[in-house]
Amino acid sequence: MSMERKPVADRVRYSRMSGAELREAFVVGGLFTPGEVKLVHWEAERSIVGSAVPTGAPLRLEAPHQIKAEHFLDRRELGVANLGGAGSVTTDGTRHELAPRDLLYVGRGTRGVEFASADPSKPAFFYLVSHPAHASHPTTLAPAASAETVEIGDAAHASRRTLRRHIHARGVRSCQLVMGITDLASGSVWNTMPPHTHYRRTEIYLYFDLEPGAVVVHVMGPPDESRSLIVGDREAVLSPPWSMHFGAGTSRYAFVWSMGGENQEFEDMRGVAPTELR
């Protein structure tokens, strides 16, 4: 298991960054390595994003030395999304079966977390998001079928999509983590349009289900100083509170969105009219 570190870039430094520096600060690539647990610590909200791809023996989530804890979840909570084949997550001896697109919330104080694939030849791809937690909530499975589901956008604007909320104030309870999956309909490419900012939360996008050779153009930054990032399948983008965000793909795609911060209200955002963008 490995964990790298990404410091927070403020909006002043952002305005002077080269394209390579933008990618280094805001794009998380290289996840989902077979047989490994990989973690990235982002200083915003002290977030940890990562992956586990078990292809043989189960993979155990250990506490990296940087968090100074005996167990990974001594002072944290964890969201797990399965983006691959069927698998399971075992927490303190209890086995949770995750079909593709299922999520699992793991509460603070859990001592042991292990990831396994039902069929190592078709491994589970577990995507991980963790934030510090001030209280303990029960570890709870959040299947795709039980998610709060909303249809948004329309085909006329190439933005028809299905938003599923799994971990949120009206669903699976957590301290600060909010997490779900959005699927774009065939023929639609725009996500989060019109765009918005979150002053009280950070957000992380993990794009997946892209067709071979397809990419997503993720637009970020203050509304009056936007920049773009080109991201591929299973790459994540870190979105700080001062940055608006929206994107368009060269084909349909899906993404896991997660938020952490001062509140859990999904609608707590400041909308940005497209005509404001520069």
Side-chain angles (χ1 to χ4, degrees), residues 25-56:
F26 298 109
V27 177
V28 179
L31 296 173
F32 303 103
T33 301
E36 292 186 21
V37 174
K38 302 191 79 171
L39 302 173
V40 175
H41 183 275
W42 185 36
E43 291 177 349
E45 311 299 345
R46 301 200 303 281
S47 309
I48 293 178
V49 59
S51 61
V53 184
T55 54

Side-chain angles (χ1 to χ4, degrees), residues 200-218:
R200 287 161 289 278
R201 292 176 296 185
T202 59
E203 189 161 8
I204 303 172
Y205 278 65
L206 186 282
Y207 291 100
F208 72 104
D209 262 9
L210 275 72
E211 295 178 0
V215 298
V216 173
V217 181
H218 180 100

Side-chain angles (χ1 to χ4, degrees), residues 151-259:
E151 301 292 332
I152 54 179
D154 58 72
H157 294 89
S159 63
R160 188 161 64 88
R161 54 204 191 272
T162 302
L163 184 150
R164 295 179 176 86
R165 299 171 180 150
H166 294 256
I167 302 170
H168 61 112
R170 297 181 301 276
V172 174
R173 296 298 305 276
S174 67
C175 288
Q176 63 168 313
L177 176 65
V178 182
M179 193 170 180
I181 295 177
T182 295
D183 283 277
L184 274 77
S186 180
S188 288
V189 297
W190 289 101
N191 76 70
T192 322
M193 179 56 78
H196 58 260
T197 59
H198 301 288
Y199 288 131
R200 287 161 289 278
R201 292 176 296 185
T202 59
E203 189 161 8
I204 303 172
Y205 278 65
L206 186 282
Y207 291 100
F208 72 104
D209 262 9
L210 275 72
E211 295 178 0
V215 298
V216 173
V217 181
H218 180 100
V219 182
M220 65 166 297
D224 62 349
E225 195 174 0
S226 64
R227 306 281 293 276
S228 63
L229 297 164
I230 309 300
V231 295
D233 194 40
R234 295 177 182 157
E235 288 191 314
V237 178
L238 309 172
S239 185
W242 50 264
S243 176
M244 58 83 190
H245 45 275
F246 66 94
T250 57
S251 66
R252 71 148 304 278
Y253 54 94
F255 57 93
V256 182
W257 49 266
S258 64
M259 293 178 277

Side-chain angles (χ1 to χ4, degrees), residues 20-197:
E21 289 170 333
L22 282 171
R23 292 193 64 82
E24 176 63 26
F26 298 109
V27 177
V28 179
L31 296 173
F32 303 103
T33 301
E36 292 186 21
V37 174
K38 302 191 79 171
L39 302 173
V40 175
H41 183 275
W42 185 36
E43 291 177 349
E45 311 299 345
R46 301 200 303 281
S47 309
I48 293 178
V49 59
S51 61
V53 184
T55 54
L59 297 175
R60 186 173 179 85
L61 180 61
E62 304 286 356
H65 69 87
Q66 294 95 326
I67 68 173
K68 305 297 183 183
E70 182 178 356
H71 308 98
F72 185 88
L73 294 171
D74 282 351
R75 300 184 296 272
R76 289 184 159 271
E77 59 186 354
L78 173 69
V80 181
N82 182 14
L83 308 180
S88 63
V89 182
T90 300
T91 61
D92 290 346
T94 300
R95 185 184 178 95
H96 310 274
E97 303 288 345
L98 274 72
R101 300 299 190 92
D102 286 351
L103 270 68
L104 177 71
Y105 173 78
V106 187
R108 169 180 163 164
T110 302
R111 300 170 76 82
V113 181
E114 286 191 345
F115 305 98
S117 296
D119 180 354
S121 67
K122 300 176 182 178
F125 285 76
F126 293 112
Y127 173 61
L128 318 177
V129 180
S130 174
H131 295 295
H134 61 271
S136 298
H137 292 283
T139 294
T140 306
L141 185 65
S146 66
E148 181 180 283
T149 303
V150 182
E151 301 292 332
I152 54 179
D154 58 72
H157 294 89
S159 63
R160 188 161 64 88
R161 54 204 191 272
T162 302
L163 184 150
R164 295 179 176 86
R165 299 171 180 150
H166 294 256
I167 302 170
H168 61 112
R170 297 181 301 276
V172 174
R173 296 298 305 276
S174 67
C175 288
Q176 63 168 313
L177 176 65
V178 182
M179 193 170 180
I181 295 177
T182 295
D183 283 277
L184 274 77
S186 180
S188 288
V189 297
W190 289 101
N191 76 70
T192 322
M193 179 56 78
H196 58 260
T197 59

